[in-house]
Amino acid sequence: MASTTLEPPVCFDGTEGAAVLQQVPVTDSAKNRVTFTPLPDLGEGLYTSRPLHPTNRIMEGMSFEAKWAQDPARAVICRANSGATNTQFLLKVVPHLENENRVSLQALAAQQIWREAIFYAKHLGELQGIVVPRHYGIWAAKTRWGGKIMCAVMEYFDGFPWHCVQRTRWDTLDTQILIGEAVQRLHALGIEHAQLCTGQEHHILYDPDTHRVNLVDFSQAHTRHHCRSLDIRLQPFTQPTARRDICGELGLVADILGFWRRKRPDTTIQEEDQGTTSQPAP
């Protein structure tokens, strides 16, 4: 099946030339083709930032190739902008796939991107743009700097990782409950994220300007979850028996939010906004 050429090209910051991306047909394990959110008009093309740090989204100074060489088993992540729209995109790029070695580190990174894309297309359609980013599919190109590259093109959610929000004025009960509701929307569809725990807070993003939450990185998610606590609102728990009443993943999320450690004050965003603490740095 022929690929679809995306014109105009994508320019990766700090690299020579531009990459003309071609959409790659994606099929699941049953060889059924999956579909993605149509890519909006890009006008004159996409222009990326330098690579972003995978857990705090701060732009790093190194080049794409240097970033990939630092950790070949992980995709290089960058933000991209289009002159035609205010939409921002997140690109997950795996370079140097020309050797077709299925056991190479970059091939394993590409498989992870491929699996996540299929999961988005098959299971997260109704939540995209609400509590998870939109996914625009898998694309490929030939570049001077990275040889044959694979690229997942996604919506960029302009939020802060939760560990950057904790203990700021945005860390309120309203926001914490919003996070719990986002996870429960996954569970209502039988989806367990499987990477929401202490040390993995960067998979929870919060945008204080819109008061929205997005959950990201579904590379290990699955659809075998039977949640026993969909009718329980995730909030500070004062009863020790509450741990038995909610599912394991919600218990881990409650731990991230501090719901087990102490009773949190019932403070709203509006009340907290009167404080003087500055907004967290991205």
Side-chain angles (χ1 to χ4, degrees):
M1 187 175 294
S3 300
T4 302
T5 302
L6 173 63
E7 296 283 0
V10 176
C11 298
F12 291 91
D13 184 85
T15 66
E16 295 183 6
V20 178
L21 296 180
Q22 292 186 316
Q23 189 165 21
V24 178
V26 177
T27 57
D28 61 18
S29 58
K31 305 301 181 183
N32 296 315
R33 185 171 181 179
V34 299
T35 59
F36 297 93
T37 302
L39 198 63
D41 178 22
L42 299 179
E44 296 181 355
L46 286 176
Y47 300 86
T48 79
S49 68
R50 287 295 179 101
L52 301 175
H53 191 279
T55 62
N56 61 21
R57 293 194 161 199
I58 294 176
M59 187 172 67
E60 300 188 325
M62 63 183 65
S63 68
F64 279 87
E65 188 139 31
K67 179 63 178 175
W68 170 78
Q70 185 183 59
D71 187 1
R74 187 192 295 267
V76 179
I77 300 173
C78 64
R79 185 175 60 208
N81 296 280
S82 169
T85 175
N86 292 328
T87 303
Q88 294 189 89
F89 301 88
L90 182 78
L91 274 55
K92 297 182 177 182
V93 184
V94 181
H96 296 297
L97 292 171
E98 59 272 4
N99 60 11
E100 301 295 339
N101 184 351
R102 294 188 177 183
V103 296
S104 65
L105 292 176
Q106 62 266 38
L108 295 177
Q111 290 169 17
Q112 191 174 57
I113 286 179
W114 190 273
R115 180 190 183 280
E116 182 184 37
I118 293 173
F119 197 91
Y120 262 89
K122 294 185 66 174
H123 306 299
L124 295 173
E126 66 184 78
L127 298 182
Q128 291 187 37
I130 303 174
V131 295
V132 303
R134 295 178 178 88
H135 202 300
Y136 300 107
I138 300 293
W139 304 75
K142 293 182 178 179
T143 67
R144 295 180 182 178
W145 61 271
K148 181 180 178 181
I149 68 169
M150 173 188 286
C151 180
V153 180
M154 306 177 68
E155 175 187 20
Y156 181 82
F157 181 76
D158 195 12
F160 299 108
W162 184 246
H163 64 268
C164 296
V165 179
Q166 288 175 311
R167 293 176 293 281
T168 71
R169 64 177 172 137
W170 308 107
D171 185 5
T172 66
L173 185 59
D174 278 356
T175 308
Q176 295 155 5
I177 289 176
L178 195 66
I179 291 171
E181 290 173 346
V183 178
Q184 286 182 302
R185 294 191 73 161
L186 291 180
H187 287 194
L189 298 177
I191 297 170
E192 185 173 74
H193 185 282
Q195 295 186 87
L196 300 178
C197 59
T198 301
Q200 300 289 323
E201 295 91 341
H202 56 279
H203 295 138
I204 302 170
L205 303 179
Y206 173 67
D207 181 357
D209 292 331
T210 61
H211 190 43
R212 289 182 57 216
V213 167
N214 259 203
L215 306 174
V216 297
D217 190 350
F218 286 82
S219 58
Q220 297 183 32
H222 63 81
T223 57
R224 302 183 300 274
H225 185 61
H226 302 285
C227 190
R228 63 178 184 272
S229 45
L230 291 177
D231 58 343
I232 300 176
R233 191 182 198 190
L234 200 62
Q235 58 187 336
F237 297 104
T238 58
Q239 299 297 326
T241 57
R243 283 188 182 271
R244 299 198 300 265
D245 298 331
I246 65 174
C247 73
E249 182 160 78
L250 285 181
L252 294 172
V253 173
D255 188 52
I256 290 175
L257 300 176
F259 286 172
W260 300 121
R261 294 190 291 274
R262 66 184 188 279
K263 185 176 181 179
R264 301 295 294 265
D266 188 9
T267 308
T268 64
I269 285 286
Q270 291 76 20
E271 292 169 340
E272 284 287 332
D273 199 38
Q274 298 174 3
T276 58
T277 306
S278 61
Q279 182 173 328

